[in-house]
Amino acid sequence: MNNNDHYDIDIRIRIKIDDIVTYGSGISELLQKTDQMGSINKAAKSIGMNYKKALNIIKRAESKLGKQLIEKSIGGTEGGGSKLTPFGRSFVYQFNAMEKEVKEYALKLMKKYF
């Protein structure tokens, strides 16, 4: 196979802790959208996920990582909302950077071998 320009590769990166998937591209997208939209519920809906599932995914990741990813404020005159914690923002950035680098390297390897 000489002409591999039309080939692509699909790599999923998942961080596992105690053999449990703790973090991956799905939660990364959910967290980024939560930060952008100011709401876990709105973010979940935007990616076709229900709120309860989104909340459970975030809680599981926070529990396994031992750190808070999302800061929630309840009600009040501003209506409450959610945003990334400094740790959450850093974790999302680092994961996305690592995922991009892994995908680029995997694509290079695919082109080398195919």
Side-chain angles (χ1 to χ4, degrees), residues 2-114:
N2 293 337
N3 186 1
N4 59 12
D5 292 338
H6 62 280
Y7 289 178
D8 199 2
I9 193 162
D10 184 20
I11 300 288
R12 286 193 332 174
I13 306 298
R14 294 175 172 179
I15 296 173
K16 293 171 85 176
I17 298 174
D18 299 327
D19 217 24
I20 295 172
V21 175
T22 301
Y23 198 90
S25 58
I27 188 173
S28 194
E29 180 182 10
L30 175 64
L31 292 174
Q32 288 173 89
K33 287 190 178 281
T34 297
D35 203 44
Q36 292 164 359
M37 299 174 148
S39 163
I40 296 170
N41 191 30
K42 288 179 186 174
K45 284 181 183 175
S46 78
I47 60 174
M49 182 183 293
N50 74 45
Y51 173 74
K52 187 174 180 176
K53 181 177 180 178
L55 198 55
N56 285 338
I57 289 169
I58 292 168
K59 285 180 180 179
R60 180 181 63 222
E62 288 178 334
S63 172
K64 287 293 180 184
L65 293 168
K67 295 199 177 192
Q68 195 175 355
L69 295 165
I70 293 281
E71 233 177 273
K72 295 177 263 254
S73 58
I74 311 264
T77 57
E78 301 293 316
S82 300
K83 65 179 184 175
L84 289 172
T85 62
F87 171 78
R89 191 172 315 285
S90 174
F91 200 87
V92 166
Y93 173 81
Q94 291 172 323
F95 177 84
N96 290 346
M98 179 191 69
E99 183 179 49
K100 181 179 183 230
E101 196 172 327
V102 167
K103 285 180 178 182
E104 287 171 355
Y105 185 69
L107 189 57
K108 284 179 190 176
L109 286 177
M110 188 188 71
K111 287 182 179 188
K112 175 182 175 182
Y113 289 103
F114 298 98

